[in-house]
Amino acid sequence: MTEWEDANRTLPGTNAEPGPWRTARVPYLAESIDCLSTASPVKQVVLMMGAQTGGTEASLNAVGYWVAQASGLILAVWRSIDMAHRMSRNIGGSGSGAIGRDAVVRLAAAMSPARLCDLIPRGRHASAGLAAV
């Protein structure tokens, strides 16, 4: 999964280090992130992290990876409504989101026409087939 995020994840301009995601900047996250891969035999990952250490970004990376590699329904539960709104915007395919416009176009090409509606944001709480609660 670290290879996927290095190739596909872009940090928004509001981030302290905007631009392409680089796992090399947070090597302590690599093993945990790889355990979230669809190929990993690990069934549960628990992260206990301090503030500003990459935990939220790792979560966004995981959601982007799952949408791209194992598309299906994803329910992401965040600690507050405000955070759910913020994460929904960050994950969306507006070009500045975690997945980004190019990846959303690739996802749309791989999906059946009946599933394309999953890529259309629905209100303030959902984006790119993700319900953020």
Side-chain angles (χ1 to χ4, degrees):
M1 191 168 124
T2 50
E3 294 85 10
W4 180 89
E5 62 190 11
D6 285 340
N8 295 283
R9 178 72 201 281
T10 302
L11 297 171
T14 55
N15 192 283
E17 293 186 29
W21 172 269
R22 296 183 318 263
T23 303
R25 290 283 294 128
V26 286
Y28 53 87
L29 287 175
E31 183 178 1
S32 299
I33 290 170
D34 282 336
C35 287
L36 296 171
S37 165
T38 56
S40 173
V42 174
K43 298 294 181 200
Q44 183 176 5
V45 175
V46 177
L47 297 175
M48 293 180 64
M49 305 181 70
Q52 301 294 312
T53 58
T56 300
E57 295 302 331
S59 300
L60 292 172
N61 290 349
V63 171
Y65 170 84
W66 295 329
V67 168
Q69 300 297 316
S71 64
L73 299 177
I74 298 170
L75 174 65
V77 180
W78 305 101
R79 69 176 179 255
S80 69
I81 294 293
D82 289 339
M83 188 172 196
H85 287 222
R86 196 168 60 247
M87 295 304 107
S88 183
R89 283 190 304 272
N90 285 343
I91 293 167
S94 65
S96 62
I99 302 172
R101 184 175 307 282
D102 292 341
V104 169
V105 170
R106 288 193 305 271
L107 289 173
M111 294 174 76
S112 68
R115 298 279 318 276
L116 287 177
C117 63
D118 291 344
L119 295 176
I120 301 169
R122 291 177 182 83
R124 293 174 51 175
H125 303 289
S127 179
L130 170 79
V133 179

